Amino acid sequence: MGNVFGKLFRISTWGESHGAAVGVVIDGCPPRLPITAAEIQAELDRRRPGQSDIVTPRKEADQVEILSGVFEGVTTGTPISMVVRNGDQRPGAYDEMKDKFRPSHADFTYQTKYGIRDHRGGGRSSARETIGRVAAGAIAKKLLATALPAGTVEMCAYITRVHDIAVPADALTAFPTIEAIEATPVRCPDPATAAAMIERIKAVRADGDSVGGVIECRVRGLPAGLGEPVFDRLEADLAKAMLSLPATKGFEVGSGFGGTLQKGSEHNDTFENRDGAVRTSSNRSGGVQGGISNGEELVFRVAFKPTATILQPQATVGKDGQPTELMGRGRHDPCVVPRAVPIVEAMTALVLVDHCMRQNAQSATFNP
Amino acid sequence: MGNVFGKLFRISTWGESHGAAVGVVIDGCPPRLPITAAEIQAELDRRRPGQSDIVTPRKEADQVEILSGVFEGVTTGTPISMVVRNGDQRPGAYDEMKDKFRPSHADFTYQTKYGIRDHRGGGRSSARETIGRVAAGAIAKKLLATALPAGTVEMCAYITRVHDIAVPADALTAFPTIEAIEATPVRCPDPATAAAMIERIKAVRADGDSVGGVIECRVRGLPAGLGEPVFDRLEADLAKAMLSLPATKGFEVGSGFGGTLQKGSEHNDTFENRDGAVRTSSNRSGGVQGGISNGEELVFRVAFKPTATILQPQATVGKDGQPTELMGRGRHDPCVVPRAVPIVEAMTALVLVDHCMRQNAQSATFNP
Amino acid sequence: MGNVFGKLFRISTWGESHGAAVGVVIDGCPPRLPITAAEIQAELDRRRPGQSDIVTPRKEADQVEILSGVFEGVTTGTPISMVVRNGDQRPGAYDEMKDKFRPSHADFTYQTKYGIRDHRGGGRSSARETIGRVAAGAIAKKLLATALPAGTVEMCAYITRVHDIAVPADALTAFPTIEAIEATPVRCPDPATAAAMIERIKAVRADGDSVGGVIECRVRGLPAGLGEPVFDRLEADLAKAMLSLPATKGFEVGSGFGGTLQKGSEHNDTFENRDGAVRTSSNRSGGVQGGISNGEELVFRVAFKPTATILQPQATVGKDGQPTELMGRGRHDPCVVPRAVPIVEAMTALVLVDHCMRQNAQSATFNP
Amino acid sequence: MGNVFGKLFRISTWGESHGAAVGVVIDGCPPRLPITAAEIQAELDRRRPGQSDIVTPRKEADQVEILSGVFEGVTTGTPISMVVRNGDQRPGAYDEMKDKFRPSHADFTYQTKYGIRDHRGGGRSSARETIGRVAAGAIAKKLLATALPAGTVEMCAYITRVHDIAVPADALTAFPTIEAIEATPVRCPDPATAAAMIERIKAVRADGDSVGGVIECRVRGLPAGLGEPVFDRLEADLAKAMLSLPATKGFEVGSGFGGTLQKGSEHNDTFENRDGAVRTSSNRSGGVQGGISNGEELVFRVAFKPTATILQPQATVGKDGQPTELMGRGRHDPCVVPRAVPIVEAMTALVLVDHCMRQNAQSATFNP
């Protein structure tokens, strides 16, 4: 019942890990936006399994097909349906999961809620579900880049921590480039930290274990005025978007949890006139004040827990309620965070475009 | 545009800090629920200003009037409209704010987004807006307690940290009682920590400064099966609810950000058969797996930044864009966190009731 | 659960006929629209009971109070809460209805659905509920008149039939003026027909009986492009809006049911170039094609059944399921149609403003 | 932007007449409902072109493929994605339409609203769009039949008028059987009238002309209590559903427009105790009172205009605004009404299931 996201730029995702296909329908994309399957594919390729030696080896081309809503290279304003056929299914690898609940997976809760579950690869609870998000997000990103003054909005997400290996304080004050982020498969723009992260991921994989980490996302060039208080604050919708991702356990914007260690006199972002514009001299607010973007950099972080699937024996119970042991199988990511980077970007783009449309609905309708 | 919350138990809040009144309309409350104004008032009194010597001295009775939807002591299934008249308005105290943007407040963003703002006391961006949430939450709490097996669901929220004063690890393993929480005005159930927190709040107030902190919320007795993946995961809707509150900067569920420091083998909650039920032997998941409650305790935390209003001179700019200085005035909370406790509970109850109704819509419609 | 209307210009109405008050909250009204209580009152006065000798004599000032969202004479972009206190309640007049179901009223269905009902004057099912719609509609009308090129959009609704007394064919080809419509209490702009309608209404009232009729609504000056196929076609949303009104039994747009008697070659509206614009030479489409306004006059009609309350003895059953007789009491309209005219206009304005905002959300976000 | 329908049983349709495919995603279908592609196909076959000699000869197998949400023959509670590949495309037949606006079609309005349109076969405005509705409706029908007491709910739709050929009064007092309806390709259960209708359709086709008509839909066995006043009345949502269909111009429930010719004393449905149940002695209400089903037969009618495409020369203008002439081409239905019967049923089932779920959400959550 909760597979629709967005109010005006609205997506419906569908599909299971080992079903026939996964996909998405977008309703509300403005017409005449030039878009190609290649642009969408580029984002899917960043999310794709098998892209490096620190992610799952499942072989999926993840080739997107656009079935509607695009005509002669541009959107028509009608629903855009996109589908990716599943390829390298090995449902047999999941036979054991049919009757045993994998610890910290969604097996037990899906079974309890629905009274049934597609146990193959986690079914709907698989991160494979995010393909539809990334495909839709690719269009949102294009729209975001095009809808506002050219060259203004820039977005990036990257890893700041894997397990206990973190980017040193102040190493990333400059806005990271896509090139720096994509320079290594771990998507951390600080080269030394990236190397250590990769090493750690390989080490835990060798142990059949897993790790999690933190992704930071930054957006610059956003206009002030996005966000719809009191409930649909920009950070509230971002928090929901991020916590809707598999394996996420936390969200913070600007100073976040750390900001609670400061006093108001230290934490407040004072205003100043910079180059004729009202700006803040610091950015502990993270680009939002009162739920509305203030024109400063939007900055938030998302916590991802260690991958639940580990290749070690674990105690669990079966569908019959009896204690048993489960030996992890199947192909999996020892650390989901590198592949989550484009997903975080996609969700961010979806939220921002939706809020742009909501703000425009008001400001374009009446502007005395 | 974002003043409606919930899908089935849906609330619309309205009102400004220094306008005529604030209030809420609830659409979707099931009929025949016994409810009295006194029950709602009890929750509002916990949120009320002037309740202790560590909160704002603004004098407001915050007396609720039920205007519709309740007949002969029970709900009728029609919209419940509740209103609280504003009393101790001193708009004159805010004259300076008319033309100056208070740092880290919503003055600048509201002015930019809407081209106008009710500057008196922050208008709609004031935490006074949360009165409607608490009134609606009181009904949601009653429903939550009554709708499920009697005595099953228990909820509590409390402060675990103010500035750098935190409850010691393991001090709160037992589920805190309401009495312990309400024993002090700071709403921390650990007496020694509470005393230190109160002292700190008084100290920063004496300096004209402010502090923030962290609230933890726990719910036990929830059935497994609440949450609607993939977007409306239980924790995603909770994250949105919490980040929609004034002054919040972060949300985490279960192990949260700290969980990223563990390996999968350490972090996974293994299943066991306890007293004939499928239970987890630990609760790093925080009561949700795959976006759905698993029957364990729901545990999450919310970060509140230090109050933006401080009684110290701050640099800022005016509506004319020119640099100026602002001396904080008006009545304010040196720390908003104690009064935020009932608000966090209210939002939690609203999310949980909405999800109960969503789950029931499915399970009661077809159950072979 | 169904008391919220609109997607972007969203209203929540509340209140019962003999409760404390009725009202509405609007979320999504653009900021800086000048609006006064007097402008809203003017529309409420057109809906008000006791306004003439052919409507119910219930005495209600229906005085509106704006509680939020308007500051210094203009909207602020925050929710607008409006309340009308109920005055001339005589709940005692409804004691008999407590235990007996009035034929063709909502007594039985409310009792069955909710297991309870406020029997006084029909409670929520009373047409008194429409006060909130008319108050919100007044703001929508103002916005509609102001948002688009000045003087362009004109709307009118009027009665074309009462019982079997109908406006002669072709009597209303010209767009009726408000003055002509409001010239008589029956709100039919054709004077001779109006006189006959009034006579009929008085005659049935003398018999303790009632009649229904048909309202036509026309809007000119609408831009082409409003409407969101495939489900939210302009006429679909209008149909829903109209059938959501008490006592309505039918809706038709353009040629309506009568159009089914023509062949395609007779019914089609051919296009022509008129004064440099693409126009249709006829308007059997009623201003909508494919669910989208085409710039021609929007024309639709709504059927209202005869008032269910009649002052004659009627057979019915009681809450105990036993047959009994009911003698109609209370104050009522022998014909609801005259007072329904401003309500139809209000709902039309709400739908049109919502669709303007939806269209603007798209066209203002991307326009290459 | 308006391609999502339903609140709890929510469908997103997509696809253009001559694009790659058309389809639908259902979100909110309860789990464990047995469903096969064959059951869906059976409904699609009733809608399919080429099924008889009075409909369009376009050859489409309209073969449905279920891509997700069904596992081992039952629904899983996750989104159900269904796709139908387009086959017999002849886009070349529409070259002329690229630059000329077909009278009473959506060409002009789509071009004006979106600034672009897929002109091939009407693109999204084609009735081919309704395939997704029928596929989703098949599941809703199955659910409706299964969710309530077995054998209780029965639904049928049929044609009561084509052009001026109408079923005689009182010919259809008995609830028509599916067999009687499907006995002729025109789907009118009165054999003599059906024969005359078929003759008329063939006659207008021979002239290159078209006709419209009226469909009546009846549902018996519905429980009392469905419908969510004040805005989401059952008849309001049905009206929206019907007016969202291509070529519809009117909707009426129960006595409809004709009911306005009666006095209240004639029109009221008095209550009686029949076999121990509260029933009405007549059914001018059409099964709904105050927006809520009353347990009597739900009866409503929908007006369809004559097909806009005719094989005769018509005056029009081109995209350049210049007058021109258009000679209709392509394959088309001389009368859309027979194929619209399963579509009306599908939309009815979707509305009813959604309202069942909404009612259950309330009644199952709290029932003292």
Side-chain angles (χ1 to χ4, degrees), chain D residues 19 48 91 102 144 161 172 177 182 229 247 249 284 300 326:
Chain D
R48 197 165 57 81
R102 290 172 297 167
L144 198 62
R161 188 151 58 73
L172 295 180
T177 63
E182 299 290 327
K249 301 302 281 184
R284 282 175 281 271
F300 62 86
L326 182 81

Side-chain angles (χ1 to χ4, degrees), chain A residues 1-5 7 11 13 101-106 108-110 112-114 124-125 129 133 161 163-164 204 207 209-214 224-233 235-237 239-240 243-257 259-273 278 284-286 288-290 292-294 301-310 312 314-318 321-323 347 358-359 361-362, chain B residues 1-5 7 11 13 101-106 108-110 112-114 124-125 129 133 161-164 204 207 209-214 224-233 235-237 239-240 243-257 259-273 278 284-286 288-290 292-294 301-310 312 314-318 321-323 347 358-359 361-362:
Chain A
M1 185 176 282
N3 297 280
V4 177
F5 187 80
K7 188 176 173 75
I11 70 169
T13 69
F101 300 127
R102 291 172 295 168
S104 288
H105 266 280
F108 170 68
T109 52
Y110 269 65
T112 304
K113 179 180 186 70
Y114 300 112
R124 181 72 180 149
S125 74
E129 160 273 308
R133 308 188 190 212
R161 187 152 59 74
H163 200 200
D164 60 352
V204 296
D207 294 342
D209 213 332
S210 65
V211 284
V214 176
L226 302 186
E228 302 295 332
V230 293
F231 296 114
D232 301 346
R233 288 167 193 251
E235 65 268 45
D237 278 356
K240 170 165 177 157
L243 267 294
S244 81
L245 292 174
T248 54
K249 301 303 281 184
F251 170 89
E252 59 179 16
V253 61
S255 62
F257 280 89
T260 61
L261 296 171
Q262 293 184 300
K263 293 184 183 172
S265 57
E266 300 160 333
H267 188 271
N268 281 352
D269 295 318
T270 56
F271 287 108
E272 62 184 31
N273 184 319
V278 177
R284 281 174 283 269
S285 296
V288 283
Q289 289 176 329
I292 301 169
S293 66
N294 67 353
R301 284 167 296 282
V302 188
F304 291 80
K305 67 172 185 173
T307 314
T309 299
I310 55 175
Q312 298 180 1
Q314 295 180 89
T316 189
V317 300
Q322 293 313 305
M347 293 308 295
R358 294 175 75 172
Q359 170 62 7
Q362 296 165 86
Chain B
M1 185 176 281
N3 297 279
V4 177
F5 185 80
K7 188 176 174 74
I11 70 170
T13 68
F101 300 128
R102 290 172 297 168
S104 287
H105 265 281
F108 171 69
T109 51
Y110 268 65
T112 304
K113 179 180 185 68
Y114 299 111
R124 181 73 180 150
S125 74
E129 160 273 308
R133 308 188 190 213
R161 187 152 57 75
V162 162
H163 201 200
D164 60 354
V204 296
D207 294 341
D209 213 331
S210 65
V211 284
V214 175
L226 302 186
E228 302 295 331
V230 294
F231 296 116
D232 301 346
R233 287 167 193 250
E235 65 268 46
D237 278 356
K240 169 164 176 157
L243 267 294
S244 81
L245 292 175
T248 54
K249 301 303 282 183
F251 169 90
E252 60 179 15
V253 63
S255 64
F257 280 89
T260 61
L261 295 171
Q262 293 184 299
K263 293 185 183 173
S265 57
E266 301 160 330
H267 188 271
N268 281 354
D269 295 318
T270 57
F271 286 108
E272 62 185 29
N273 184 318
V278 177
R284 282 175 281 270
S285 296
V288 285
Q289 289 177 330
I292 300 171
S293 65
N294 66 353
R301 284 167 296 282
V302 189
F304 291 79
K305 67 173 186 172
T307 315
T309 299
I310 54 174
Q312 297 181 3
Q314 293 180 91
T316 188
V317 300
Q322 292 314 302
M347 293 307 296
R358 294 175 74 171
Q359 170 62 7
Q362 295 164 87

Side-chain angles (χ1 to χ4, degrees), chain B residues 40-58:
Chain B
I40 295 157
Q41 194 62 50
E43 289 295 325
L44 289 177
D45 287 348
R46 295 177 69 209
R47 198 216 75 92
R48 196 164 59 81
Q51 63 184 263
S52 76
D53 60 353
I54 60 167
V55 305
T56 171
R58 177 169 170 168

Side-chain angles (χ1 to χ4, degrees), chain B residues 9-305:
Chain B
F9 193 94
R10 180 175 276 191
I11 70 170
S12 299
T13 68
W14 55 270
E16 278 85 34
S17 176
H18 286 67
V22 294
V24 66
V25 180
I26 305 172
D27 189 29
C29 183
R32 288 174 287 149
L33 177 75
I35 193 81
T36 64
E39 289 170 302
I40 295 157
Q41 194 62 50
E43 289 295 325
L44 289 177
D45 287 348
R46 295 177 69 209
R47 198 216 75 92
R48 196 164 59 81
Q51 63 184 263
S52 76
D53 60 353
I54 60 167
V55 305
T56 171
R58 177 169 170 168
K59 284 185 182 55
E60 291 286 353
D62 284 355
Q63 202 70 34
V64 69
E65 185 183 10
I66 303 176
L67 294 177
S68 70
V70 177
F71 181 58
E72 299 181 342
V74 299
T75 60
T76 59
T78 62
I80 302 169
S81 175
M82 294 184 282
V83 61
V84 166
R85 293 270 165 180
N86 288 325
D88 184 21
Q89 297 132 312
R90 300 187 198 166
Y94 295 94
D95 280 354
E96 192 179 4
M97 285 69 163
K98 189 171 181 176
D99 297 314
K100 296 179 181 175
F101 300 128
R102 290 172 297 168
S104 287
H105 265 281
D107 298 340
F108 171 69
T109 51
Y110 268 65
Q111 186 70 41
T112 304
K113 179 180 185 68
Y114 299 111
I116 186 179
R117 72 190 156 97
D118 180 347
H119 66 278
R120 301 167 303 169
R124 181 73 180 150
S125 74
S126 162
R128 197 151 176 76
E129 160 273 308
T130 59
I131 285 177
R133 308 188 190 213
V134 171
I139 296 181
K141 279 176 117 170
K142 181 78 183 282
L143 189 56
L144 198 62
T146 323
L148 299 162
T152 304
V153 177
E154 289 177 282
M155 176 196 299
C156 70
Y158 47 85
I159 298 187
T160 57
R161 187 152 57 75
V162 162
H163 201 200
D164 60 354
I165 301 173
V167 171
D170 303 326
L172 296 180
T173 46
F175 197 83
T177 63
I178 299 296
E179 292 68 31
I181 294 168
E182 298 291 325
T184 68
V186 81
R187 295 199 169 95
C188 171
D190 186 54
T193 315
M197 287 171 170
I198 291 171
E199 192 176 1
R200 175 64 52 84
I201 293 172
K202 290 183 176 175
V204 296
R205 188 183 54 185
D207 294 341
D209 213 331
S210 65
V211 284
V214 175
I215 289 178
E216 184 167 85
C217 184
R218 288 160 74 172
V219 186
R220 65 177 173 185
L222 266 191
L226 302 186
E228 302 295 331
V230 294
F231 296 116
D232 301 346
R233 287 167 193 250
L234 190 56
E235 65 268 46
D237 278 356
L238 286 167
K240 169 164 176 157
M242 296 308 141
L243 267 294
S244 81
L245 292 175
T248 54
K249 301 303 282 183
F251 169 90
E252 60 179 15
V253 63
S255 64
F257 280 89
T260 61
L261 295 171
Q262 293 184 299
K263 293 185 183 173
S265 57
E266 301 160 330
H267 188 271
N268 281 354
D269 295 318
T270 57
F271 286 108
E272 62 185 29
N273 184 318
R274 200 148 80 235
D275 304 327
V278 177
R279 302 290 304 274
T280 61
S281 51
S282 51
N283 188 21
R284 282 175 281 270
S285 296
V288 285
Q289 289 177 330
I292 300 171
S293 65
N294 66 353
E296 302 299 324
E297 231 178 70
L298 178 68
V299 186
F300 62 87
R301 284 167 296 282
V302 189
F304 291 79
K305 67 173 186 172

